């Protein structure tokens, strides 16, 4: 007796049609970028679920903070006050150095580095895929976030925005195997390409000749090449240099300066297109002019 499941085309024909359809969709998506808007809509559709999934963790975090003893709060407050005093002293020195640098650049007729717009974002989720180093933040298209936007923390460069939804975005970390960033040594200005290793605490410097002057402890900063990351932000510290003459290039390993395994608050940077850009006020949560915030 025939059943309803034997009606229609054979299983081989169905499998062939499914394979053809899959290959066609992959080609259209990869070569023609035909599903870019669809991914944005799906990401926006999933963002409320991500907020709901993060709600229990936020409630537990707030409950734990309320149960913190008064002694710990007083100790943390004193520590933060001391750090604020030290940072204020450094900021005063930086203001003087910045003015002197601007005057020297004007004398040399060199372009003055412009201020850029900034915005604070908070970590929402971490990708569980062991072969991918990505995180999700709570800022999206409605906040002006765009693909390939640089992201930093209080230590250095974290990565760049890979996908943008309406209310959240996905950030590709420096340590991802598909990520690369042009850097230069702070000691001698030699340029390199730092690529991700898949581990959060390691970066590789590609195609470094044995004769290049690079040492353990050298600080690597962004070179500004590629027009993605701004120049001068800390990236990593060289931790290992192996010059094996049997290999065509030296093996150089660096450790990212950003706390990629302890991210919580991040800073989004905008391209420097106007010397008077807006910055995100971290305490009030509103957009203010950078000169006004400095004077305040």
């Amino acid at each position: 007796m025939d059943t309803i499941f034997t009606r229609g085309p054979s299983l081989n024909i169905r499998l062939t049609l499914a394979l053809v359809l899959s290959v066609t969709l992959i080609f259209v998506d990869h070569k023609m970028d035909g599903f870019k808007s669809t991914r944005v809509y799906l990401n926006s559709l999933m963002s409320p679920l991500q907020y709901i999934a993060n709600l229990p963790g936020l409630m537990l975090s707030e409950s734990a903070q309320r149960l913190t003893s008064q002694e710990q709060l007083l100790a943390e407050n004193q520590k933060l006050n001391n750090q604020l005093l030290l940072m204020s002293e450094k900021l005063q020195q930086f203001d003087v150095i910045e003015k002197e640098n601007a005057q020297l650049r004007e004398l040399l007729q060199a372009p003055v580095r412009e201020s850029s717009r900034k915005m604070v974002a908070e970590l929402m989720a971490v990708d569980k895929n062991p072969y991918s180093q990505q995180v999700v933040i709570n800022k999206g298209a409605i906040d002006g976030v765009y693909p390939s936007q640089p992201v930093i923390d209080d230590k250095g460069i974290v990565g760049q925005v890979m996908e943008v939804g309406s209310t959240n975005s996905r950030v590709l970390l420096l340590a991802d195997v598909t990520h690369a960033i042009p850097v230069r040594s702070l000691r001698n200005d030699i340029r390199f390409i730092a690529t991700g290793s898949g581990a959060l605490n390691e970066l590789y410097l590609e195609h470094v000749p044995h004769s290049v002057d690079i040492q353990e402890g050298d600080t690597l900063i962004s070179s500004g090449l590629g027009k993605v990351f701004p120049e001068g932000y800390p990236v990593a510290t060289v931790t290992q240099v192996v010059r094996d003459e049997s290999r065509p290039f030296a093996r150089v390993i660096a450790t990212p300066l950003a706390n990629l395994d302890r991210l919580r608050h991040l800073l989004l940077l905008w391209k420097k297109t106007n010397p008077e850009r807006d910055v995100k006020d971290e305490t009030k949560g509103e957009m203010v002019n950078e000169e006004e915030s400095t004077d305040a």
Side-chain angles (χ1 to χ4, degrees), residues 119-184:
M119 181 179 293
V120 177
E122 188 172 354
L123 186 71
M124 287 185 59
V126 178
D127 197 340
K128 300 300 182 181
N129 187 351
Y131 304 103
S132 178
Q133 302 294 346
Q134 302 177 16
V135 297
V136 179
I137 59 176
N138 64 342
K139 300 297 181 182
I142 60 176
D143 303 296
V145 180
Y146 59 90
S148 299
Q149 183 172 5
V151 182
I152 67 172
D153 68 354
D154 59 332
K155 301 295 183 181
I157 292 180
V158 171
Q160 60 179 299
V161 176
M162 184 179 65
E163 295 180 0
V164 180
S166 58
T167 58
N168 58 14
S169 301
R170 185 173 292 271
V171 177
L172 185 68
L173 301 182
L174 288 175
D176 192 271
V177 293
T178 63
H179 192 278
I181 176 175
V183 298
R184 64 180 175 89

Side-chain angles (χ1 to χ4, degrees), residues 45 98 110 120 158 189 252 256 259 273 275:
L45 183 63
E98 184 180 6
V120 177
V158 171
D189 289 334
V252 182
N259 298 321
T273 56

Side-chain angles (χ1 to χ4, degrees), residues 102-110:
Q103 292 176 356
L104 292 175
R105 285 179 174 271
E106 185 176 357
L107 290 174
L108 297 173
Q109 296 183 352

Side-chain angles (χ1 to χ4, degrees), residues 13-287:
I13 296 178
R14 297 178 188 178
L15 178 60
T16 302
L17 291 176
L19 290 176
V20 172
L21 181 60
S22 300
V23 172
T24 303
L25 292 176
I26 292 174
F27 176 80
V28 172
D29 182 40
H30 181 67
K31 297 296 184 180
M32 304 176 61
D33 202 10
F35 296 97
K36 182 177 180 180
S37 58
T38 304
R39 285 198 299 268
V40 173
Y41 292 143
L42 291 176
N43 193 6
S44 302
L45 183 63
M46 293 297 295
S47 59
L49 298 179
Q50 292 177 335
Y51 280 99
I52 294 175
N54 288 335
L55 186 59
L58 293 175
M59 295 176 62
L60 290 175
S61 178
E62 292 180 359
S63 301
Q65 291 177 359
R66 292 179 181 179
L67 294 176
T68 304
S69 64
Q70 184 178 4
E71 290 78 6
Q72 290 178 344
L73 292 176
L74 291 175
E76 291 179 0
N77 187 35
Q78 182 63 34
K79 182 179 178 180
L80 292 175
N81 286 333
N82 295 336
Q83 291 180 353
L84 179 61
L85 183 60
L86 294 174
M87 295 302 294
S88 298
E89 187 270 337
K90 290 183 178 181
L91 182 61
Q92 294 175 12
Q93 295 180 353
F94 288 156
D95 289 339
V96 175
I97 294 175
E98 184 180 6
K99 292 179 181 179
E100 292 179 352
N101 186 35
Q103 292 176 356
L104 292 175
R105 285 179 174 271
E106 185 176 357
L107 290 174
L108 297 173
Q109 296 183 352
V112 179
R113 294 183 179 179
E114 303 170 348
S115 301
S116 61
R117 176 187 169 193
K118 308 173 184 69
M119 181 179 293
V120 177
E122 188 172 354
L123 186 71
M124 287 185 59
V126 178
D127 197 340
K128 300 300 182 181
N129 187 351
Y131 304 103
S132 178
Q133 302 294 346
Q134 302 177 16
V135 297
V136 179
I137 59 176
N138 64 342
K139 300 297 181 182
I142 60 176
D143 303 296
V145 180
Y146 59 90
S148 299
Q149 183 172 5
V151 182
I152 67 172
D153 68 354
D154 59 332
K155 301 295 183 181
I157 292 180
V158 171
Q160 60 179 299
V161 176
M162 184 179 65
E163 295 180 0
V164 180
S166 58
T167 58
N168 58 14
S169 301
R170 185 173 292 271
V171 177
L172 185 68
L173 301 182
L174 288 175
D176 192 271
V177 293
T178 63
H179 192 278
I181 176 175
V183 298
R184 64 180 175 89
S185 174
L186 186 61
R187 179 172 58 88
N188 51 21
D189 289 334
I190 298 180
R191 294 187 295 270
F192 306 96
I193 297 295
T195 60
S197 65
L200 291 176
N201 59 346
E202 281 189 354
L203 298 178
Y204 296 147
L205 299 189
E206 298 290 340
H207 307 109
V208 179
H210 295 287
S211 59
V212 168
D213 181 15
I214 184 170
Q215 303 174 4
E216 296 181 4
D218 285 351
T219 299
L220 304 176
I221 62 176
S222 55
S223 64
L225 300 178
K227 306 300 182 180
V228 175
F229 296 97
E231 180 184 1
Y233 282 88
V235 177
T237 301
V238 177
T239 55
Q240 184 179 4
V241 180
V242 179
R243 292 182 170 89
D244 186 357
E245 297 298 335
S246 63
R247 298 178 179 272
F249 300 102
R251 175 179 172 84
V252 182
I253 299 177
T255 300
L257 292 174
N259 298 321
L260 300 182
D261 58 341
R262 296 186 297 274
L263 296 175
R264 183 177 179 186
H265 293 96
L266 304 172
L267 193 64
L268 294 164
L269 303 179
W270 270 257
K271 293 181 180 179
K272 300 177 181 180
T273 56
N274 192 333
E276 295 182 0
R277 298 299 299 242
D278 292 334
V279 296
K280 185 72 174 179
D281 191 328
E282 301 179 18
T283 57
K284 298 181 181 180
E286 57 186 6
M287 305 305 295

